[in-house]
């Protein structure tokens, strides 16, 4: 789907001002996610980008309502096709998972059951979520799904260890598509795969997006993948939104210093250099956040105000938001 069509496509998933805390060892709550908003339209691929610990996984688990026992959503809303997911009972929410919003987990070897065949595991997802229950129809659906992701259906009776890494990830994608969801959350689906296999998996996801009209929330720390796959990008830092805009805007006119540093650290073949750039320091610990802007201790252009006052998320131009004191909104 072309980008200008995506702008007019209906909104499937709308996350508004979502905040999530974790309670750790009886200490004060850690604010893992603060006031994050985005929309995902039909056919759109939204990249969720940032370093480890920036809140990507918390955001994803909050949307799916799969937080661990010590996590709780403290404010905000999640709507899927207008339905308020945070007000649903657990049984109703379980029906939304897989049927409407499914997940492709990272690390296919860990996510798959090693003692059950791939066909059984995909079949179980189909039956558990009542997509079809008749065994002949389940078999047919398993074969369809394997075909969709480029695995010969004869291999359904094999176990995960008999698959290559790329095939296991394809099987995970088939499982996520078991109940024909409209939205797929892909959690770093190409991490730990070699470059050639990564390219094949990205190509498969693009093909599935076009063929099935899927909307994809693509969690990654790889800006190359974002440039290749995504229409829009949400850059996160320390649990908050650093920048949110179309991919073209973020790559050509980044406003947040963190986004600019991420792009500078991204290898560029047209800018050959002896040394790869990096961002000095580490992302903040959520239980020991710095005062003011969370990026201030690492920011190359921080001013005094940054160390005492947290910047608000401002609209830079239509469709482009950034949270930085130096950005005019
Ligand atoms: Fe850097 Fe200040 Fe902007 Fe934060 S608010 S990103 S510290 S300039």
């Amino acid at each position: 789907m072309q980008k200008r069509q995506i702008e007019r496509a209906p909104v499937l998933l709308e996350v508004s001002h979502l905040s999530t805390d974790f309670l750790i060892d009886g200490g004060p709550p850690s604010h893992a996610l603060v006031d994050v908003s985005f929309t995902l339209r039909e056919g759109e691929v939204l990249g969720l980008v940032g370093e480890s610990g920036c809140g990507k996984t918390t955001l994803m688990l909050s949307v799916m309502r799969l937080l661990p026992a010590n996590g709780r959503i403290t404010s905000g809303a999640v709507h899927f096709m207008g339905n308020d997911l945070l007000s649903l009972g657990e049984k109703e929410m379980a029906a939304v998972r897989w049927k409407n919003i499914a997940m492709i987990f990272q690390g296919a070897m860990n996510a798959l059951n090693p003692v059950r065949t791939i066909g059984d595991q995909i079949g179980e997802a189909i039956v558990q979520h009542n997509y079809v229950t008749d065994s002949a129809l389940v078999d047919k659906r398993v074969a369809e799904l394997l075909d969709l992701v480029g695995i010969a259906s004869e291999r359904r009776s094999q176990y995960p260890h008999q698959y290559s890494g790329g095939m296991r990830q394809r099987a995970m994608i088939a499982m996520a598509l078991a109940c024909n969801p409209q939205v797929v959350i892909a959690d770093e689906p190409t991490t730990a795969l070699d470059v050639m296999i990564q390219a094949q998996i990205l190509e498969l996801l693009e093909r599935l997006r076009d063929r099935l009209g899927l909307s994809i929330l693509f969690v990654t720390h790889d800006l190359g993948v974002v440039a290749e796959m995504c229409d829009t990008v949400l850059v996160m830092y320390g649990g908050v939104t650093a920048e949110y805009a179309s991919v073209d805007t973020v790559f050509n006119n980044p406003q947040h210093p963190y986004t600019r540093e991420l792009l500078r650290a991204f290898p560029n073949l047209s800018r050959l250099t002896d040394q790869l750039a990096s961002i000095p320091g580490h992302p903040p610990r959520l239980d020991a956040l710095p005062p003011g802007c969370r990026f201030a201790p690492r920011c190359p252009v921080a001013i005094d105000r940054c160390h005492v006052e947290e910047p608000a998320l401002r609209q830079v131009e239509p469709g482009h938001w950034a949270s930085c004191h130096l950005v005019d909104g």
Side-chain angles (χ1 to χ4, degrees), residues 1 22 27 30 64 127-128 138 155 174 182 190 200 240 266 311:
M1 191 180 280
F22 283 104
S30 292
M64 293 292 273
V127 173
Q128 284 286 320
V138 172
R155 299 199 65 170
Q182 295 99 323
T190 56
Q200 288 173 15
V240 299
F266 179 55

Side-chain angles (χ1 to χ4, degrees), residues 23-131:
L23 295 169
I24 301 165
D25 296 335
S30 292
H31 306 305
L33 193 69
V34 180
D35 202 22
V36 173
S37 301
F38 67 85
T39 54
L40 185 67
R41 292 176 181 274
E42 196 177 292
E44 178 179 352
V45 183
L46 167 65
L48 202 53
V49 183
E51 294 162 283
S52 300
C54 71
K56 305 188 296 278
T57 302
T58 303
L59 175 54
M60 217 167 49
L61 295 177
S62 301
V63 168
M64 293 292 273
R65 290 189 36 201
L66 289 172
L67 287 165
N70 65 339
R72 63 191 166 99
I73 294 170
T74 55
S75 60
V78 180
H79 285 93
F80 176 76
M81 295 178 86
N83 294 322
D84 177 2
L85 296 189
L86 301 188
S87 70
L88 296 182
E90 184 43 46
K91 209 168 158 193
E92 294 162 308
M93 186 62 208
V96 171
R97 295 185 201 114
W98 292 81
K99 276 191 183 157
N100 298 120
I101 310 176
M103 264 183 93
I104 303 167
F105 293 96
Q106 62 172 289
M109 195 58 186
N110 300 330
L112 289 165
N113 184 337
V115 297
R116 298 193 58 201
T117 66
I118 296 289
D120 272 0
Q121 295 185 59
I122 298 174
E124 185 181 28
I126 296 168
V127 173
Q128 284 286 320
H129 297 90
N130 293 316
Y131 186 73

